[in-house]
Amino acid sequence: MKRRTLSIFCDTLVKSLKSGNVLKGCHRVVAPGIVEGGKRSFHTQASSCSTTTILSQEEQHISRTCHLPQLDVPDNPDDLFRGMSTDFPCLTRNKMAGPEPEYDKIITGYKLFHHQHPFEMKYNKARLPELQVAYETWGKLNETKSNAVMIQAGLSASSHAKSHRENLRPGWWEKFVGPGCAVDTDEFFVICPNNLGSCYGTTGPSSVNPLTGKQYATTFPLTSIDDMVQANFLLLDELGIDKLHACVGSSLGGMLSLMAAAEFPERVGRIISISSCAQSHPSSIAMRYLQRKTIMSDPNWNKGHYYDGPYPKMGMKLAREIATMTYRSGPEWDQRFSRERIDPGGPNTLCPTFTIESYLEYQGESFSTKYDPNSLLYISKAMDLFDMGEGYSSLQEGLSRVKCPVMVIGVQTDILFPIWQQRTLAELLQKSGNLGVTFYELNSLYGHDTFLLDINGVGAAVKGFLETNLKSLGIDLVNEEKFHNKDRRLF
């Protein structure tokens, strides 16, 4: 369509829609387009300049999209200039319309512990008026209450580590927990709490402040790893469990396990830290910063107060795409995708060309409404601030608080928590005086996500460490002075 004809068409269409009050709040038409099913539509830019709206004559409703307005470019003679179209369907194909996020994605099967007292937090002299902790359990607690194992969840995980009668959906550690599994529910009473600051039952930014009747949003206090551990041990008090047989965690969960052993040395029998660290390093801090930046730069984030308005989906989607790059490894990308194209015979454009791009887009899209963006901001910041040496003269001194036997597991292809961090953790634990340290290094293809996928490597190591009678190795869990150098286990 020529430029003048296009202008007449748009003017006529706008007048028609204005007469029906459809274009209220919009100030100009920026381009024609075709939406799915061949329906003619046009794009308008809202007066706020923060979002773009797609209006369809046939659908008679407004759907928000997160794409740039199209440019009005002049015609050029084909024999002098041949360029690309300024239409980018990859920016418009994921509409903002659709079901709202389900912040209580795990809506059944968990139990709630309600702490009806103010909860003091580490930073800024902050305080919550009350606290709720969502948790799930498997197995049976023995008479002496000495067989409890706590699984510490990762950044975006819920308490649903394993399916059960109240919730039959597979859990995030489904194949690692159960009868005869790595964490054997015939042997242990297993507890998995949802972390403080999350959105799956435990108090977090999306929870309602009982004093105001509205969501906390970004009035929620800054959260720390210490706060999460304190909340989990209040849960143990409620359950009448004085001491854990073990604390097991990966990534953020590994941080929580270390802090639990440091803060409550008399209440933790042993810990397993998988793909984690003793303090966050600049590279991982940078990656999490970028994820927060994409969310906070989304106009719909609205300083965190979006619960009654448009949802910051585009920011959340981009944050997940960035995160996915750090969860797997380069060798796996090469093996799975190589340079395979989405459409080998299609034209080259600025939109995704390779299947790896399509995979990242899928991961971002599928996750974007499963988790509360504010929860991601708060918990990722807590991970950045994590430092076992904080308040001590050195990292080694801070780690000296960990008295119980420790298994440290690392993965050679991990980008987010590089293997040198686990090596350093194991060495510093030993140098600090802990003689019950086991270091287990895996050569897995799956990078950071190995702890979710490698049943043989991770599962076998976890099972062996949980079920080994450490006294048979010369390690007395009660009388620490009986440790001897010959009993040191470092592999």
Side-chain angles (χ1 to χ4, degrees):
M1 181 180 294
K2 295 296 183 181
R3 194 174 174 185
R4 178 172 175 76
T5 306
L6 170 60
S7 178
I8 294 173
F9 166 77
C10 290
D11 288 344
T12 303
L13 199 51
V14 170
K15 288 178 182 178
S16 173
L17 288 168
K18 277 185 176 178
S19 66
N21 227 9
V22 177
L23 288 181
K24 184 178 181 181
C26 299
H27 69 273
R28 74 183 181 94
V29 172
V30 286
I34 301 296
V35 292
E36 39 185 275
K39 302 173 185 177
R40 182 167 296 281
S41 71
F42 52 92
H43 309 292
T44 67
Q45 185 173 338
S47 56
S48 66
C49 296
S50 62
T51 59
T52 304
T53 305
I54 295 182
L55 301 179
S56 169
Q57 288 177 294
E58 294 184 20
E59 295 178 9
Q60 296 295 308
H61 71 274
I62 297 177
S63 300
R64 294 189 181 275
T65 65
C66 272
H67 68 85
L68 299 174
Q70 300 301 308
L71 299 175
D72 188 10
V73 296
D75 292 332
N76 289 284
D78 287 349
D79 57 338
L80 296 178
F81 175 77
R82 294 176 187 173
M84 292 199 307
S85 166
T86 59
D87 184 30
F88 295 98
C90 55
L91 298 179
T92 64
R93 61 180 168 226
N94 296 312
K95 295 184 179 180
M96 293 298 291
E100 288 298 305
E102 296 178 353
Y103 297 120
D104 53 346
K105 199 70 175 181
I106 304 301
I107 59 175
T108 59
Y110 63 76
K111 305 167 187 176
L112 275 179
F113 159 57
H114 191 185
H115 181 68
Q116 297 178 323
H117 304 281
F119 181 75
E120 305 292 331
M121 300 180 74
K122 178 178 180 179
Y123 296 122
N124 309 322
K125 299 181 180 179
R127 175 188 300 116
L128 287 172
E130 62 180 21
L131 174 69
Q132 284 192 338
V133 179
Y135 68 100
E136 297 178 45
T137 63
W138 303 263
K140 185 178 180 180
L141 189 63
N142 62 17
E143 291 184 4
T144 58
K145 297 185 178 182
S146 61
N147 69 330
V149 172
M150 178 171 282
I151 295 177
Q152 306 278 14
L155 190 158
S156 58
S158 68
S159 59
H160 192 59
K162 170 75 176 181
S163 59
H164 49 78
R165 289 183 178 180
E166 287 73 30
N167 187 348
L168 298 177
R169 286 186 291 179
W172 56 267
W173 228 26
E174 182 72 20
K175 295 181 180 180
F176 291 80
V177 181
C181 294
V183 185
D184 192 345
T185 52
D186 287 338
E187 181 82 15
F188 303 111
F189 176 65
V190 182
I191 312 159
C192 183
N194 182 225
N195 293 322
L196 177 67
S198 185
C199 54
Y200 294 132
T202 296
T203 303
S206 60
S207 302
V208 173
N209 184 340
L211 302 180
T212 65
K214 297 181 179 180
Q215 280 96 347
Y216 286 102
T218 45
T219 67
F220 194 77
L222 194 65
T223 306
S224 70
I225 302 298
D226 309 59
D227 298 328
M228 297 178 193
V229 169
Q230 294 293 330
N232 291 343
F233 274 79
L234 285 175
L235 169 62
L236 292 179
D237 292 340
E238 174 71 12
L239 296 176
I241 298 172
D242 293 329
K243 185 173 183 177
L244 290 168
H245 172 76
C247 217
V248 183
S250 307
S251 193
L252 165 62
M255 298 176 176
L256 292 167
S257 295
L258 270 176
M259 188 61 73
E263 293 291 315
F264 299 94
E266 73 288 349
R267 299 187 66 179
V268 180
R270 65 189 80 184
I271 67 170
I272 301 177
S273 175
I274 310 169
S275 296
S276 192
C277 61
Q279 60 183 184
S280 289
H281 69 107
S283 208
S284 62
I285 291 172
M287 296 304 292
R288 287 189 288 265
Y289 158 77
L290 287 175
Q291 294 172 54
R292 291 194 296 272
K293 189 74 170 180
T294 61
I295 293 171
M296 297 172 74
S297 297
D298 188 320
N300 288 339
W301 181 63
N302 192 32
K303 297 183 178 179
H305 295 265
Y306 50 79
Y307 296 105
D308 296 323
Y311 176 73
K313 179 179 177 181
M314 186 54 67
M316 193 64 172
K317 177 182 174 181
L318 292 174
R320 188 61 173 187
E321 292 182 17
I322 293 171
T324 301
M325 290 168 49
T326 69
Y327 293 156
R328 308 303 269 262
S329 74
E332 186 196 6
W333 295 144
D334 191 49
Q335 186 177 101
R336 287 180 63 184
F337 304 107
S338 187
R339 289 179 54 81
E340 181 182 344
R341 291 173 175 250
I342 300 170
D343 181 7
N348 292 321
T349 71
L350 294 179
C351 282
T353 299
F354 300 97
T355 53
I356 179 61
E357 297 174 286
S358 179
Y359 173 78
L360 290 176
E361 184 178 42
Y362 167 77
Q363 290 296 325
E365 180 67 22
S366 62
F367 180 80
S368 61
T369 56
K370 289 181 179 178
Y371 195 69
D372 181 28
N374 281 338
S375 286
L376 193 151
L377 298 180
Y378 275 82
I379 296 182
S380 70
K381 188 66 176 183
M383 293 176 73
D384 287 356
L385 294 170
F386 173 68
D387 183 357
M388 289 293 292
E390 184 180 6
Y392 295 85
S393 61
S394 66
L395 183 56
Q396 180 176 314
E397 183 185 359
L399 286 170
S400 67
R401 295 174 290 163
V402 180
K403 305 296 185 182
C404 66
V406 181
M407 168 173 271
V408 179
I409 301 177
V411 180
Q412 293 175 1
T413 56
D414 195 335
I415 297 172
L416 188 59
F417 289 83
I419 189 65
W420 64 263
Q421 287 204 294
Q422 291 87 57
R423 291 173 185 154
T424 300
L425 172 57
E427 291 169 2
L428 288 178
L429 282 168
Q430 280 198 319
K431 289 178 180 178
S432 69
N434 192 321
L435 304 174
V437 180
T438 301
F439 176 54
Y440 198 40
E441 183 169 325
L442 295 171
N443 183 18
S444 169
L445 188 67
Y446 302 115
H448 188 63
D449 274 357
T450 294
F451 75 88
L452 297 169
L453 304 170
D454 190 351
I455 300 174
N456 292 330
V458 174
V462 169
K463 186 174 182 65
F465 191 74
L466 288 180
E467 297 180 8
T468 296
N469 182 351
L470 296 180
K471 288 184 179 181
S472 68
L473 299 178
I475 299 176
D476 191 326
L477 300 181
V478 178
N479 300 308
E480 183 184 348
E481 66 274 8
K482 292 184 180 180
F483 279 2
H484 298 288
N485 281 336
K486 66 182 179 63
D487 300 320
R488 181 174 299 186
R489 295 297 190 272
L490 181 63
F491 302 104

